[in-house]
Amino acid sequence: MLCRKIRGGISGLAAWGGNSDPSWHLRDLRRWSIIDGKAIAKMSAGQSDLEIQAVLRAEIRELQFRHKVEIALLHATYEMVLNGPAEGLPSVQQQIGLLMQAPQFDPQWYAHTYRDVAASGIDAAEHYVRAGAFERRNPGPDFDTMNYYLANPDVIDAGWPALVHYLHCGKAEGRPLA
């Protein structure tokens, strides 16, 4: 029901909340955490419902895009587990070799940050290549896997672990990190 009221706009939310006070909009949206701080920061009490709706629509588009990327990551995980690296990509061992030479990959940080990986006994680099990148795990404190995928969604579709792609060809292509 709440989704239906959101589609009806801020006025719909006010009616649903049983309050016709215009200051209700932002106060209760903040309280209910319907939208995150970025959208709230873009809004002020003096904005019209249409202006607020535009901000909300932009937030929804961003969330839909992020959701699409996360679904693609799930598919990439299954592909890697079932079939190994996609056709045309370096082998797992070659990808691990690239990671081991990269300053952005920190195996001690990875094992400390992701204790489940350390407990499993799998090598940190192998875990990142086979699963970690597709689980949105960062290879070190200086590289954000999800930001790289959000900036370069075609990398997921091709089946690349984020940092491996950046090292193999993304940096040379001038790909954005975020």
Side-chain angles (χ1 to χ4, degrees), residues 95-108 125 128 139-143 163-164 166-168 171:
Q95 292 182 36
I96 291 170
L98 279 171
L99 279 183
M100 296 308 292
Q101 297 172 7
Q104 298 95 331
F105 180 68
D106 184 341
Q108 288 78 26
Y128 182 79
D142 299 325
F143 187 89
L163 182 56
V164 174
Y166 180 73
L167 297 169
H168 190 264
K171 186 176 181 179

Side-chain angles (χ1 to χ4, degrees), residues 61-131:
R61 280 191 299 275
E62 285 179 34
L63 289 171
Q64 287 172 329
F65 175 71
R66 184 178 181 90
H67 180 71
K68 181 180 173 186
V69 168
E70 288 176 347
I71 294 296
L73 284 169
L74 182 61
H75 288 281
T77 301
Y78 289 130
E79 282 298 315
M80 177 61 95
V81 168
L82 296 174
N83 304 317
E87 188 176 326
L89 269 57
S91 70
V92 169
Q93 291 307 316
Q94 290 170 323
Q95 292 182 36
I96 291 170
L98 279 171
L99 279 183
M100 296 308 292
Q101 297 172 7
Q104 298 95 331
F105 180 68
D106 184 341
Q108 288 78 26
W109 180 91
Y110 194 85
H112 177 75
T113 303
Y114 307 114
R115 296 188 187 268
D116 60 316
V117 175
S120 73
I122 190 171
D123 176 71
E126 183 173 354
H127 182 271
Y128 182 79
V129 167
R130 291 187 182 276

